[in-house]
Amino acid sequence: MTSNIGIIIRREYLERVSKKSFIITTLFMPVFMLLLSAAPALIMSLNTSGSKNIMVIDESGKILPQLENDETVRFTSTALPLDSLMGREDLDGILVIDKQIISKPEMLRLYTRDAASTELTGNIENQVERIVERERIESYNIADLSKILEEVKVNVTLPTSRITDENEATESSTILSTVMGMVMTFILYMFLMMYGQMVMTSIIEEKNNRVLEIMVSSVKPSHLMMGKIIGVGLVAVTQVILWGLLLSIISSFVMPAILPDTMATDIAAYNAGNLDAASAANNIEMVQMFSALGSIGYIIGLFGYMLLFLIGGFLFYAAINAAFGSAVDNIQDAGQLQMFVVLPIIIGLVFGISVVNDPSSPLAIWMSFIPFTSPMVMMTRIPFGIPVWEIIVSLVILYASFIATVWIAAKIYRVGIFMYGKKPNLKELIRWARYK
Amino acid sequence: MELLKVENVSKHYSGHTALDDVSLTVKEGSIYGLLGPNGAGKTTLIRIINHITAPDKGRVIFDGHQLTEKDVTSIGYLPEERGLYKKMKVGEQAVFFARLKGLSRRDAVNGLKEWFEKFDILPWWDKKVEELSKGMAQKVQFIVTVLHHPKLLIFDEPFSGFDPINAELLKNEILNLKQQGATIIFSTHNMGSVEVLCDDITLINQSHNILSGSVEDVRRTHSYGRYRISFDGDENRLLEALGQHVESYKFIPADIRGKSLSLKLRDENDMREIISIANDTVLITALNREVPSMDEIFIQTVKTYNAEK
């Protein structure tokens, strides 16, 4: 009889994996995701609309000579009054600088015909700031003052180390933990929603076209349900693993090519343990992050945890989905019941994102033990490094709860698949679960 | 030798009773008709025999022992409402169902090819199910039901969706299976096919077994006191003369035999007396014992039962 579960798993798995839509999404999703993350840079580089022509009325006479032109903006001097320039459509903007600019740096204004881009205003602000600073320093008439000020400047970044269970310190990057946590929580959320829905719709479909009537004469309803849940679950695992492989292949070949040379040298120095924060060309946090991303062990460790929580969370929710699917005749009727599945998953996602600020708060710890929210919340917390016992307890609770939901779901399923016509509510489902 | 015994089975759902103390015995190698109006409890009984649901009370004895889950592989069930996976290929799907019944892949493929050939659907092996006509899908379902040579076959409305030619083909295959030793439970509303195919029947109405026995016995019992007198003369005078001997009657104005009265007598032993009374009143042209059709028996038994309730 147990071999029948195997036959069903095989059918459910092959049916989905051999679908064109599965192959396409599996292959193109990682490419799409990478493109999406690179999109802002791409758009920027495509969006240069030539250099802007800015006419400058500099009443102080100190700013204009020091303004530098570049490929995006060109400044030209003028003595004409503002009014006479307003009508000129060949200009991209008129910059008016008050003669008191050095003492009152807010006394300047840019007039433009189109909305001024942040790139342009940022450029002008930076330049004027620098020039005013320089002018002020020089006005003190102290020799080498600018050099002294330069030497006084400091820039502190706080590297963090986490004390492991073996009481050793390991380096950790807060930014990286946050990013990894968010990404994995979101992937988990997506999979729980998508594949949970898949279990439900496919049961409704089987019920609707009466295949179930034939199936139940050779398979126990509970076996049928388990076969479907496991089959669909394996599809999810296949997809995640394929994505992981594809992403790591892409990143190991593509990332070195994209990263600037200075970053590569810094990473090499960091990995060798002799990176000097002061001399590094890049922010130490960024160096840490890219270094970790390039470290296979770190990625595989996180990925392993994600799989464990993905499988546990999927099984837990799929059983509930299966029970609901068996109870209704069409997907529209399922809406109301589905709220009981969708809501906790969304709550889990929201909490998962918010615990980033304090991954060790009591709320975060409790949420990561409750099976409804634990997969998402745990996935945010794990990258920050939490005690292993917490992960184990969370997993044990999750898998034990899965056994409970499957047991109850099987009872509802057994009754539900023969119920046609009426739309049951939660109370009725609970009564079904009590039938002999 | 009986293959299946259902003993005092009851099944309640919240609010209603699907089966109330139902018993029946199916002889090995026979075709057993399970009859009854819609909603009488037939499907529930079939599901209990299939080990899909468990009875609240009573038990099911299959092949000499209490029915267990393992026996499901010795049963083939063709449900009334039946479907297939639409997106799957026909052959692949048939193999899938056969494997669920415990056949190895190779046995399944070999057996299926034979049946597909017989039913003229071999060219459809690699087509998707959604491309099949309803009749062809029904053929596939029938094949899947019988492929694993089950001892007990349960057909629920097997002929629905078939044209007369294919229905005939199916009927012959069912008789073939019986000849090869299979025991068949046959549930239908088509009483004509019951008369042709079934050895024994049970009529279930309002969750009770209200009539059981061999088709011959049932029909003979129901022919008790039923006669048809064809005559020349006045039917009202005849009825008046027969008076209290007649329990009920039906007047048939005129057919090939002339006009006749279909009579249900109170006591068959009064037959001699009745004939002489009739003979004195009208000219008798024919006198026959009437054997009711299963259709009539079905309607009459159910109506009588419901009226008494």
Side-chain angles (χ1 to χ4, degrees):
Chain A
M1 259 323 193
T2 36
S3 69
N4 274 354
I5 297 189
I7 297 169
I8 291 165
I9 293 173
R10 201 183 111 93
R11 198 201 78 81
E12 297 288 340
Y13 182 77
L14 290 180
E15 182 190 74
R16 289 182 173 76
V17 169
S18 59
K19 259 190 193 158
K20 271 195 205 93
S21 59
F22 175 83
I23 298 167
I24 290 170
T25 44
T26 305
L27 289 183
F28 288 98
M29 206 50 177
V31 179
F32 182 73
M33 286 196 305
L34 284 179
L35 273 180
L36 211 64
S37 60
L42 279 175
I43 291 167
M44 283 286 229
S45 69
L46 291 172
N47 206 21
T48 49
S49 49
S51 82
K52 299 258 195 260
N53 187 10
I54 306 289
M55 204 64 107
V56 184
I57 307 172
D58 185 2
E59 293 168 354
S60 70
K62 287 185 177 147
I63 304 294
L64 181 69
Q66 298 183 60
L67 279 177
E68 284 166 13
N69 296 335
D70 60 19
E71 64 266 30
T72 61
V73 61
R74 202 154 41 79
F75 299 101
T76 38
S77 167
T78 179
L80 293 167
L82 177 64
D83 297 349
S84 65
L85 292 170
M86 289 284 207
R88 287 197 31 196
E89 291 192 6
D90 59 318
L91 295 177
D92 293 305
I94 309 144
L95 180 64
V96 182
I97 299 169
D98 194 86
K99 54 175 174 293
Q100 298 183 56
I101 183 80
I102 305 298
S103 53
K104 292 180 179 162
E106 67 279 3
M107 303 281 279
L108 79 168
R109 181 165 292 274
L110 178 70
Y111 297 86
T112 55
R113 202 163 277 283
D114 306 320
S117 69
T118 49
E119 196 191 357
L120 176 64
T121 55
N123 182 329
I124 297 174
E125 276 165 4
N126 281 338
Q127 291 210 47
V128 173
E129 231 170 67
R130 237 184 31 247
I131 297 164
V132 171
E133 254 177 41
R134 202 151 49 214
E135 288 294 323
R136 284 182 176 184
I137 289 169
E138 274 170 22
S139 70
Y140 285 103
N141 273 325
I142 301 172
D144 293 336
L145 180 57
S146 62
K147 205 179 142 205
I148 295 166
L149 283 174
E150 199 59 45
E151 280 172 14
V152 169
K153 259 188 201 162
V154 286
N155 181 12
V156 177
T157 52
L158 177 63
T160 53
S161 287
R162 199 173 53 77
I163 301 162
T164 64
D165 296 337
E166 291 82 37
N167 296 327
E168 285 164 17
T170 57
E171 309 228 18
S172 73
S173 151
T174 314
I175 294 181
L176 178 66
S177 304
T178 308
V179 171
M180 287 307 284
M182 297 268 217
V183 167
M184 288 191 302
T185 304
F186 195 76
I187 291 177
L188 213 63
Y189 160 80
M190 211 174 69
F191 268 83
L192 291 189
M193 285 292 215
M194 211 166 70
Y195 281 89
Q197 178 83 22
M198 201 182 272
V199 170
M200 183 186 271
T201 47
S202 97
I203 286 173
I204 294 174
E205 214 175 287
E206 277 180 2
K207 193 180 164 186
N208 261 335
N209 66 23
R210 305 291 204 270
V211 188
L212 272 178
E213 304 268 342
I214 292 187
M215 293 290 284
V216 288
S217 67
S218 20
V219 195
K220 264 177 81 172
S222 59
H223 288 183
L224 190 54
M225 190 185 85
M226 269 325 289
K228 178 166 295 280
I229 290 176
I230 296 174
V232 175
L234 284 177
V235 179
V237 169
T238 307
Q239 190 159 45
V240 169
I241 290 179
L242 283 177
W243 279 0
L245 279 177
L246 277 171
L247 277 176
S248 52
I249 290 169
I250 293 173
S251 60
S252 64
F253 282 106
V254 177
M255 214 163 73
I258 296 178
L259 284 181
D261 291 344
T262 56
M263 182 59 93
T265 36
D266 282 353
I267 291 172
Y270 177 83
N271 288 343
N274 54 14
L275 179 71
D276 177 13
S279 74
N282 295 281
N283 185 318
I284 184 99
E285 279 267 4
M286 295 295 276
V287 177
Q288 259 183 7
M289 188 168 120
F290 282 112
S291 156
L293 279 179
S295 118
I296 304 285
Y298 176 78
I299 297 294
I300 287 182
L302 280 183
F303 197 73
Y305 280 130
M306 193 180 79
L307 268 183
L308 282 177
F309 278 100
L310 176 74
I311 294 168
F314 168 79
L315 292 175
F316 176 78
Y317 275 112
I320 302 176
N321 271 314
F324 289 168
S326 73
V328 297
D329 289 353
N330 55 59
I331 197 80
Q332 283 86 358
D333 287 353
Q336 210 183 346
L337 288 172
Q338 228 182 341
M339 283 312 291
F340 294 101
V341 183
V342 173
L343 220 55
I345 298 182
I346 292 178
I347 291 174
L349 175 72
V350 171
F351 270 96
I353 289 169
S354 62
V355 298
V356 160
N357 293 326
D358 189 0
S360 303
S361 69
L363 180 69
I365 293 173
W366 280 112
M367 295 293 270
S368 55
F369 288 155
I370 297 168
F372 283 96
T373 50
S374 68
M376 273 81 62
V377 176
M378 245 344 189
M379 256 3 267
T380 331
R381 297 182 61 216
I382 287 175
F384 288 95
I386 53 170
V388 176
W389 71 264
E390 277 188 28
I391 301 177
I392 292 171
V393 169
S394 175
L395 278 173
V396 167
I397 293 176
L398 183 62
Y399 280 83
S401 315
F402 147 66
I403 293 169
T405 53
V406 160
W407 189 71
I408 297 167
K411 296 196 137 218
I412 296 173
Y413 182 86
R414 192 188 50 150
V415 179
I417 50 176
F418 296 121
M419 294 285 177
Y420 294 101
K422 63 175 180 184
K423 193 168 114 184
N425 53 30
L426 201 62
K427 220 171 95 191
E428 258 166 297
L429 295 194
I430 293 167
R431 208 181 58 220
W432 292 357
R434 295 215 196 102
Y435 280 163
K436 192 183 142 191
Chain B
M1 176 60 193
E2 67 271 3
L3 182 72
L4 180 78
K5 265 179 104 164
V6 174
E7 292 176 347
N8 310 98
V9 161
S10 297
K11 178 84 186 174
H12 303 276
Y13 290 109
S14 59
H16 94 282
T17 304
L19 291 172
D20 190 3
D21 197 23
V22 169
S23 301
L24 54 87
T25 305
V26 181
K27 290 197 293 277
E28 192 161 2
S30 70
I31 299 185
Y32 198 95
L34 193 58
L35 319 176
N38 296 320
K42 283 173 297 173
T43 309
T44 305
L45 180 59
I46 289 175
R47 280 184 187 153
I48 287 172
I49 296 170
N50 260 308
H51 209 272
I52 295 170
T53 42
D56 296 338
K57 273 189 222 141
R59 54 182 198 156
V60 178
I61 307 293
F62 179 79
D63 211 6
H65 58 270
Q66 181 131 16
L67 183 77
T68 67
E69 207 184 302
K70 282 202 190 96
D71 294 319
V72 170
T73 48
S74 311
I75 301 177
Y77 171 39
L78 184 69
E80 180 180 7
E81 298 271 13
R82 45 193 181 249
L84 297 167
Y85 288 106
K86 288 203 180 76
K87 300 281 172 200
M88 237 176 142
K89 284 181 181 159
V90 177
E92 195 188 329
Q93 178 153 203
V95 171
F96 166 69
F97 280 116
R99 295 201 59 201
L100 284 181
K101 285 290 190 186
L103 261 61
S104 73
R105 175 168 287 277
R106 198 196 309 162
D107 288 350
V109 172
N110 289 342
L112 282 167
K113 294 249 165 162
E114 238 170 76
W115 274 100
F116 270 52
E117 187 102 52
K118 199 189 277 183
F119 274 14
D120 222 9
I121 48 173
L122 196 54
W124 296 84
W125 184 274
D126 271 326
K127 292 264 171 43
K128 276 192 179 166
V129 168
E130 54 193 351
E131 295 173 59
L132 294 185
S133 70
K134 192 182 175 200
M136 277 192 269
Q138 305 272 61
K139 283 183 184 175
V140 176
Q141 287 151 351
F142 178 83
I143 293 170
V144 166
T145 311
V146 303
L147 183 73
H148 60 291
H149 303 293
K151 280 186 185 154
L152 178 65
L153 281 160
I154 304 173
F155 296 126
D156 199 346
E157 291 295 353
F159 298 114
S160 73
F162 280 106
D163 61 59
I165 293 171
N166 279 313
E168 183 69 19
L169 177 73
L170 200 64
K171 199 183 84 189
N172 290 336
E173 283 309 326
I174 291 176
L175 288 171
N176 244 343
L177 288 165
K178 181 193 171 185
Q179 224 155 44
Q180 288 163 20
T183 309
I184 296 161
I185 294 177
F186 182 42
S187 173
T188 184
H189 294 305
N190 181 347
M191 293 302 145
S193 60
V194 171
E195 281 165 23
V196 177
L197 289 171
C198 293
D199 302 305
D200 304 288
I201 61 122
T202 271
L203 177 55
I204 292 180
N205 184 42
Q206 297 190 359
S207 10
H208 290 87
N209 178 355
I210 61 169
L211 179 65
S212 261
S214 75
V215 173
E216 274 172 38
D217 284 348
V218 167
R219 291 185 76 186
R220 195 180 305 130
T221 318
H222 279 77
S223 70
Y224 177 84
R226 286 176 176 275
Y227 287 90
R228 178 159 162 163
I229 300 179
S230 305
F231 57 91
D232 274 339
D234 186 354
E235 61 273 11
N236 290 323
R237 269 190 64 204
L238 176 61
L239 279 170
E240 208 176 307
L242 289 173
Q244 56 177 336
H245 291 296
V246 178
E247 191 184 293
S248 64
Y249 69 91
K250 199 173 137 206
F251 176 63
I252 299 144
D255 59 13
I256 284 171
R257 283 178 275 192
K259 49 182 171 179
S260 24
L261 274 172
S262 182
L263 299 174
K264 170 104 172 61
L265 303 175
R266 254 178 236 293
D267 190 347
E268 243 187 44
N269 298 326
D270 301 343
M271 204 54 214
R272 282 170 175 275
E273 202 182 326
I274 288 163
I275 292 173
S276 78
I277 296 172
N279 202 23
D280 289 345
T281 324
V282 293
L283 174 62
I284 300 174
T285 55
L287 179 67
N288 302 79
R289 181 182 270 275
E290 266 201 318
V291 181
S293 69
M294 285 307 295
D295 232 4
E296 286 172 82
I297 295 171
F298 181 101
I299 293 168
Q300 203 215 325
T301 316
V302 168
K303 271 190 175 164
T304 315
Y305 183 86
N306 289 355
E308 280 167 10
K309 263 262 164 157

